Amino acid sequence: VRAGATEAAAVASLAAFAAQLLAATETIAATTRVLSDCLAGGRIRLGLANASLYLNMVGHVLIAWALLRQALVAARALPSASGSDQAFYQGKISACRYFFRHELPAVELHARLLYELDASTLEMAPESF
């Protein structure tokens, strides 16, 4: 993921997305360390309480990476493209832009809850449902 982001950073129109992806990978690394320490400390239920958020966070980064790779190919091909090829490549770049603006920011919210070891899911009594 980092290598792909670094490659995309060389294209001016994709540099901001590359920086955002690199930041998200660092967020995952920091969050993983916190969760690993929690699990290693014997607090397994707490460390796994929000496992679905962790999986969503990682999934978002992987989707962003795939979209950025596609946008990189499109940005390189776009100058010589015409007709429907041009529209196709522009669509790849637009899809990347949308995901990075609307979906990838969720990584920060998920990371914050994970980093803080939010126990809301553990504190709810079953009879309260």
Side-chain angles (χ1 to χ4, degrees):
V1 172
R2 287 183 181 123
T6 301
E7 186 180 359
V11 177
S13 63
L14 302 178
F17 300 135
Q20 191 178 354
L21 183 57
L22 286 171
T25 61
E26 292 306 316
T27 297
I28 287 175
T31 304
T32 301
R33 285 189 293 276
V34 168
L35 293 174
S36 294
D37 290 347
C38 183
L39 295 171
R43 299 181 299 165
I44 295 169
R45 287 190 74 228
L46 181 59
L48 297 175
N50 296 299
S52 62
L53 291 179
Y54 184 82
L55 293 173
N56 282 335
M57 184 175 68
V58 173
H60 271 60
V61 167
L62 293 176
I63 291 168
W65 168 71
L67 289 170
L68 186 59
R69 293 288 299 157
Q70 291 176 12
L72 178 60
V73 170
R76 290 176 175 163
L78 200 53
S80 62
S82 62
S84 62
D85 286 345
Q86 190 174 38
F88 174 78
Y89 291 132
Q90 193 58 52
K92 292 296 182 184
I93 294 169
S94 295
C96 179
R97 182 181 313 112
Y98 174 86
F99 192 86
F100 274 73
R101 290 185 179 167
H102 291 265
E103 300 295 332
L104 193 58
V107 167
E108 292 302 320
L109 171 63
H110 295 287
R112 188 172 350 114
L113 291 169
L114 290 161
Y115 196 83
E116 294 171 359
L117 298 171
D118 180 69
S120 298
T121 58
L122 298 176
E123 294 168 351
M124 184 70 152
E127 59 273 6
S128 299
F129 286 96

